[in-house]
Amino acid sequence: MNGKRFWALVRGWYGVVRGALWASLLIPAAFVGLHALGWGRFQELTYTLLLVGAAVGILGVRSFIRYAARQLALWEALRNPPPDEAALPAAETEPERCYRALAAHYLAARTDDAQAAADAERERLDYFTLWVHQIKTPIAALDLMAQSDEPVDRELLRQQVFRISQYADAALGYQRLQSLHNDLALTEVPLYPLCCSLVKKLRPLFTYRHIRLNMAPFAGAALSDPKWLGMAITQALTNALKYAPVGGEITVALREPLVLEVRDNGRGIPAEDLPRVFSCGFTGSLGRQAREGDKSTGIGLYLCKQACDKLGHRVTLASPPGGGVTVTFDLRREQYENFT
């Protein structure tokens, strides 16, 4: 132990026992003073004062050793935080028990935060591992086109480029989702113009798969963020395009004021998969059975749900036994505070 630490122990110990130390000195001093007022001789108190001094010294040394041991343990705990509450130094007094409980609370919060960070990192790694695997498919298709001596099918070329663009947008959305609250701009969003712009971007998929769009003009504006609401609706449309049959149809309609529906006439989703459709990484039986280029990443509906939750909207999915899937966006908002 270096001198600096030793004197820190002495100062800390003195701060704890200062009152008792002065009392142990003042009481013998008062006794000596009273004895002197009675014309007593100092020599008569020599033995008594020696006993008192020895007792005070022994108790003081014992108190300092106990204090030093506990303080060194606390310094070590500060230097190397213990892994759990049981490893914290024991508490002897009520204030120490309170501080120990407070330290245990912060330790538990630190452990929870570390676990949450580890889970988020594992989720992120799983997603991007799958993302890399998925994006390799259109890249490989473009590579084969580049190596072929045959004329390039421009429609097929546009499809592969469009898929890469979609995967890139999904990755960016996934990364930005965690800090979505810093990227929101609340405004009145006209729903029909928004849906028209989204469908226009997805037109290559509608054309390539010969999907018919049913979307009669409708009125209504929702208090929302146009970019993130558009991302959520795009995920629903993309899923509908992926699972609707070739030559099928997709309907976008306002069922009632500020309740938007996206419906397809595909095979539908098995009942056992419905409770997990918004879970991150869940592809379901249809996603696993899809063609290689159309295999699900299990992230689209997850992003849709997360964005809607942060926007204060409600999104649900239904798939009746007869087939087809309906994604419903309830954009009604009773209070402005619901947006937080």
Side-chain angles (χ1 to χ4, degrees):
M1 180 189 302
N2 57 38
K4 184 177 180 180
R5 175 163 288 198
F6 174 77
W7 287 113
L9 287 173
V10 171
R11 287 193 299 270
W13 172 76
Y14 176 72
V16 172
V17 302
R18 179 171 49 194
L21 183 62
W22 281 106
S24 65
L25 294 176
L26 289 175
I27 291 175
F31 182 73
V32 170
L34 291 174
H35 185 74
L37 289 175
W39 302 101
R41 292 183 300 174
F42 182 76
Q43 290 81 358
E44 296 173 348
L45 299 177
T46 303
Y47 185 69
T48 301
L49 291 176
L50 286 174
L51 287 177
V52 171
V56 170
I58 292 172
L59 291 175
V61 171
R62 180 174 178 271
S63 172
F64 178 76
I65 291 174
R66 289 188 62 189
Y67 172 82
R70 291 173 56 75
Q71 188 60 45
L72 289 172
L74 286 172
W75 282 342
E76 177 61 24
L78 287 174
R79 192 168 66 89
N80 298 307
D84 52 47
E85 181 182 353
L88 290 170
E92 294 183 355
T93 64
E94 187 59 30
E96 286 183 352
R97 280 189 283 272
C98 291
Y99 281 118
R100 191 177 191 276
L102 185 61
H105 171 75
Y106 283 119
L107 182 61
R110 176 174 173 266
T111 302
D112 291 343
D113 289 344
Q115 184 61 48
D119 292 342
E121 178 62 20
R122 183 169 57 253
E123 179 184 288
R124 188 188 68 85
L125 182 61
D126 290 344
Y127 167 67
F128 280 104
T129 300
L130 179 60
W131 181 87
V132 169
H133 175 73
Q134 292 297 102
I135 203 172
K136 286 171 63 178
T137 300
I139 291 175
L142 291 176
D143 184 55
L144 288 174
M145 291 181 196
Q147 296 180 33
S148 175
D149 295 330
E150 299 295 327
V152 175
D153 185 338
R154 291 186 177 275
E155 183 58 36
L156 185 57
L157 178 63
R158 280 195 292 267
Q159 288 300 311
Q160 303 308 325
V161 172
F162 183 75
R163 281 178 178 168
I164 292 175
S165 176
Q166 280 190 303
Y167 285 133
D169 288 342
L172 287 173
Y174 182 84
Q175 285 292 92
R176 293 172 179 167
L177 192 63
Q178 303 307 317
S179 58
L180 178 59
H181 60 281
N182 294 324
D183 190 38
L184 292 178
L186 185 64
T187 185
E188 286 287 336
V189 182
L191 296 177
Y192 183 70
L194 175 64
C195 291
C196 287
S197 65
L198 301 178
V199 168
K200 184 177 180 180
K201 291 179 182 178
L202 296 172
R203 185 163 53 187
L205 285 181
F206 278 95
T207 302
Y208 183 71
R209 295 180 61 83
H210 304 289
I211 303 296
R212 185 172 65 258
L213 174 67
N214 298 322
M215 188 172 71
F218 50 81
L223 187 63
S224 187
D225 180 280
K227 181 174 73 174
W228 287 101
L229 178 58
M231 186 276 288
I233 297 174
T234 297
Q235 295 300 330
L237 286 169
T238 303
N239 261 35
L241 285 164
K242 183 181 296 185
Y243 296 114
V246 175
E249 65 179 34
I250 291 175
T251 301
V252 179
L254 207 63
R255 188 183 66 194
E256 56 185 279
L258 299 184
V259 178
L260 185 71
E261 284 187 349
V262 178
R263 298 193 302 269
D264 66 64
N265 64 338
R267 294 169 51 190
I269 298 175
E272 61 271 18
D273 288 347
L274 287 175
R276 300 176 60 192
V277 291
F278 293 113
S279 300
C280 183
F282 181 72
T283 58
S285 57
L286 290 181
R288 291 187 292 270
Q289 296 168 10
R291 301 189 311 267
E292 180 63 27
D294 288 333
K295 285 187 180 296
S296 173
T297 60
I299 201 69
L301 288 178
Y302 168 77
L303 291 176
C304 176
K305 180 70 162 60
Q306 292 298 307
C308 285
D309 286 348
K310 293 181 183 293
L311 288 169
H313 303 319
R314 184 168 178 261
V315 58
T316 55
L317 185 147
S319 182
V325 172
T326 300
V327 179
T328 303
F329 296 90
D330 189 342
L331 309 177
R332 293 171 294 189
R333 189 188 306 280
E334 295 181 359
Q335 296 180 355
Y336 172 82
E337 288 76 13
N338 288 343
F339 187 74
T340 58

